[in-house]
Amino acid sequence: MTASPSPPDRSPRPVPDRLLDLLPAALAVVVGAAVTIVYSVGQWRSMQVPSWDLAIFSELAKAYSNLEASIVPIKGEGYNLLGDHFHPLLVLLGPVWRLFPTPLALLVVQDLLLAISAWPLTRLATRLLSRPVAAALGVFYVLSWGMQGAVAAQFHEIAFAVPLLAWASAAFVEQRWRTCALWLAPLVLVKEDLGLTVLMAGLAIALRGVQGAAQQPSRRGPAWWRRLTTIQLGLGLALFGVAAFLLTVLIILPVLSPSGTWEYGLSGDGDSTGLLARLISPEVKLATLGMLALTAGLIGLASPWMALVLPTLAWRFLSSKEFYWEWKNWHYNAVLIPIALGALLDVVARLKARRSASASSAPGQAQSPPSASAARAQPEPAPTPSGWLAAPVWARWAVALGVGMPLLAGVATATELPLWSMTQPGYGAVSPRADAAAEVMELIPEGASVETDLGLLAYLVPDHTVYWVGTAAVDTDYVVVDASSSAWGGNPPADAASWATEQSTTGATYRLVLDTGGYQVAQRVS
């Protein structure tokens, strides 16, 4: 049986030491929040729009703030966003929007959620390693490739999953099974596929029960009973996760979706390639797997906690959408980071619990009492090594290499990741088109309906009912065309009024009322 980490030492410590132990986690949270918020504000000021997600979730938050159903016109007239992905936990955005009715508030909320997730894992690293090493791991974590991709892609529901996974990971390493389960359970309210992540977590807990992992001192009863209750808890959590997944994708989403189906079910996308080949080809998938393995320090792959990444990797790699496979961009990797670091620290804890042969006497070895004269001649016995000094040399080397790998990978890839753009002169400067954009928004009356492309999609949400040009099926009061928007594929309409009139299904006509800075505004006149 492999060594089990002992429960964390909760004995009283001097107050100065306890305060110093908080510094690495505090540093990671503050650095992460400060850097990502500055990045997000710069992105907002310079009007960078990577996708329509921010606008979609802004309309959702706006609806929740008004105690309305989760209807998001950007996705289509009367579209219930809970039929797209199942994320009822996002109702928490309602009060945020009520206080700060701007999409920028959602960016800051995401930045804070990602930053605060560094707290439990950095505190755990402080208890297992040293303060400087824990601080380095914490800063790496909060500025890692997965977090940067999420911040650059702007708001997404997975922002709520990351801190839940971080606290669950710390509880798993410390064998606080019930606490771990309580942190995991809300994941099924963040996104439907995370029920499968909960399934894998339950199996990991059950496996630890089978292995006879040590329990907290507060747990009562014989060892066999504690193992049995751990196995029961793990299997119960696994059953809860798979039941939540099936209930969501087979009943809830089809009922709420306009199409009557789960729109993200894997159908093979017409790809006849073998399953294994689709999981590892093309090479970008191997690059993503490599970065994930390095984040776990390689040794983390030995932890059952690492199995939690499998559902997310499976649905991404089996899809034909290439941006699902990437490791440098988008938000899809953020949920993998706390799992990988948690797996690394899990193995670190188990290696630390090992004892070298010299640290303890061989079991069953009888010791004859020394004579009185011999006892007087013998020096005082050396204190028994504890902590890392008691661990075998090979275990210490394994931990050193395991902890060093993610740090080195983070430094080596820094220039390839989104936050590196902050080092460029002029990052975050106000867009040269800001005055023209302000003129557009001032022209359109508050409460009017607007159909537009990506350029001003999120910026128009606070004061207007906004539709996207790709899904609008109604004649809106205004149509805004941004000639620079990627939505047009490099071929924007030459005249917004003519385009809007041609697109109308009810015979409405539009007239051009503004043409400035690459923006055109058409108003419905009949």
Side-chain angles (χ1 to χ4, degrees):
M1 184 182 300
T2 57
S4 299
S6 302
D9 183 11
R10 302 295 185 186
S11 57
R13 303 180 63 217
V15 172
D17 284 349
R18 281 183 285 169
L19 292 177
L20 289 174
D21 284 346
L22 297 177
L23 288 180
L27 176 67
V29 171
V30 170
V31 168
V35 172
T36 55
I37 288 174
V38 169
Y39 179 88
S40 295
V41 171
Q43 199 181 39
W44 179 257
R45 283 165 50 88
S46 58
M47 304 181 70
Q48 298 178 37
V49 184
S51 77
W52 66 348
D53 282 343
L54 178 60
I56 288 172
F57 290 113
S58 295
E59 279 198 330
L60 180 68
K62 182 180 177 181
Y64 284 148
S65 73
N66 294 323
L67 302 180
E68 298 172 352
S70 52
I71 304 301
V72 174
I74 287 174
K75 293 283 288 186
E77 180 67 7
Y79 193 101
N80 190 331
L81 199 62
L82 286 177
D84 183 55
H85 286 303
F86 188 67
H87 40 54
L89 198 62
L90 295 192
V91 71
L92 297 175
L93 294 176
V96 175
W97 188 272
R98 173 66 69 174
L99 294 173
F100 309 101
T102 168
L104 180 58
L106 269 63
L107 298 181
V108 174
V109 165
Q110 175 168 268
D111 295 336
L112 292 176
L113 287 170
L114 298 181
I116 197 65
S117 73
W119 181 269
L121 290 170
T122 310
R123 292 285 292 124
L124 175 61
T126 304
R127 291 189 285 271
L128 292 174
L129 300 163
S130 66
R131 293 177 191 135
V133 173
L137 276 177
V139 172
F140 156 79
Y141 166 86
V142 80
L143 300 180
S144 62
W145 50 286
M147 304 300 187
Q148 291 197 40
V151 172
Q154 300 186 339
F155 187 86
H156 197 271
E157 68 255 24
I158 55 88
F160 283 90
V162 174
L164 293 173
L165 284 166
W167 259 278
S169 297
F172 178 83
V173 175
E174 296 182 334
Q175 301 172 33
R176 296 179 285 118
W177 308 126
R178 290 182 181 176
T179 302
C180 181
L182 289 174
W183 281 113
L184 289 165
L187 287 174
V188 302
L189 304 178
V190 176
K191 195 163 175 278
E192 63 277 3
D193 64 278
L194 291 175
L196 297 179
T197 302
V198 175
L199 161 67
M200 302 307 295
L203 295 178
I205 292 174
L207 178 61
R208 280 292 160 85
V210 172
Q211 293 173 336
Q215 304 291 322
Q216 292 183 6
S218 60
R219 299 295 296 272
R220 304 298 181 184
W224 66 268
W225 176 254
R226 293 179 302 194
R227 291 177 61 183
L228 179 60
T229 55
T230 300
I231 295 171
Q232 289 176 331
L233 176 65
L235 294 179
L237 182 65
L239 181 62
F240 167 75
V242 73
F245 172 74
L246 293 175
L247 175 65
T248 304
V249 303
L250 296 181
I251 299 177
I252 297 177
L253 287 172
V255 168
L256 297 177
S257 172
S259 66
T261 62
W262 179 34
E263 299 184 7
Y264 298 90
L266 295 175
S267 61
D269 303 311
D271 191 348
S272 59
T273 309
L275 179 63
L276 180 60
R278 290 175 64 193
L279 287 172
I280 62 175
S281 177
E283 292 181 359
V284 64
K285 297 178 182 179
L286 294 177
T288 299
L289 291 175
M291 285 300 299
L292 186 59
L294 289 174
T295 302
L298 292 185
I299 63 173
L301 300 178
S303 170
W305 194 248
M306 198 66 187
L308 273 67
V309 306
L310 295 180
T312 298
L313 292 177
W315 70 255
R316 287 173 55 189
F317 286 5
L318 290 175
S319 173
S320 63
K321 295 180 173 62
E322 295 184 7
F323 57 86
Y324 283 175
W325 313 335
E326 269 282 351
W327 68 271
K328 297 180 183 178
N329 301 297
W330 300 105
H331 51 263
Y332 304 105
N333 296 302
V335 296
L336 304 178
I337 304 301
I339 298 171
L341 188 58
L344 168 61
L345 294 176
D346 180 47
V347 175
V348 168
R350 295 176 75 78
L351 290 175
K352 185 177 182 179
R354 289 182 176 271
R355 292 292 181 267
S356 63
S358 61
S360 59
S361 60
Q365 182 177 349
Q367 299 287 338
S368 57
S371 63
S373 59
R376 285 193 299 269
Q378 288 178 352
E380 288 288 332
T384 303
S386 61
W388 284 113
L389 294 177
V393 173
W394 67 265
R396 284 179 260 173
W397 273 105
V399 168
L401 293 174
V403 170
M405 282 183 187
L407 300 179
L408 292 175
V411 172
T413 59
T415 59
E416 303 179 50
L417 297 174
L419 292 184
W420 190 256
S421 62
M422 297 174 66
T423 65
Q424 305 303 313
Y427 176 82
V430 175
S431 170
R433 305 177 69 202
D435 290 340
E439 189 175 352
V440 169
M441 290 184 281
E442 289 172 3
L443 174 67
I444 302 173
E446 182 177 344
S449 59
V450 187
E451 180 181 359
T452 187
D453 46 45
L454 290 179
L456 295 178
L457 195 66
Y459 295 83
L460 287 164
V461 167
D463 298 322
H464 310 89
T465 301
V466 183
Y467 296 80
W468 186 55
V469 292
T471 58
V474 297
D475 294 326
T476 55
D477 299 326
Y478 290 84
V479 172
V480 177
V481 171
D482 176 3
S484 301
S485 173
S486 60
W488 304 107
N491 187 30
D495 184 273
S498 299
W499 180 86
T501 301
E502 293 170 1
Q503 294 295 315
S504 174
T505 58
T506 63
T509 59
Y510 288 79
R511 65 185 179 93
L512 192 67
V513 293
L514 182 65
D515 186 350
T516 181
Y519 298 108
Q520 289 189 356
V521 180
Q523 181 183 13
R524 188 178 63 188
V525 295
S526 65

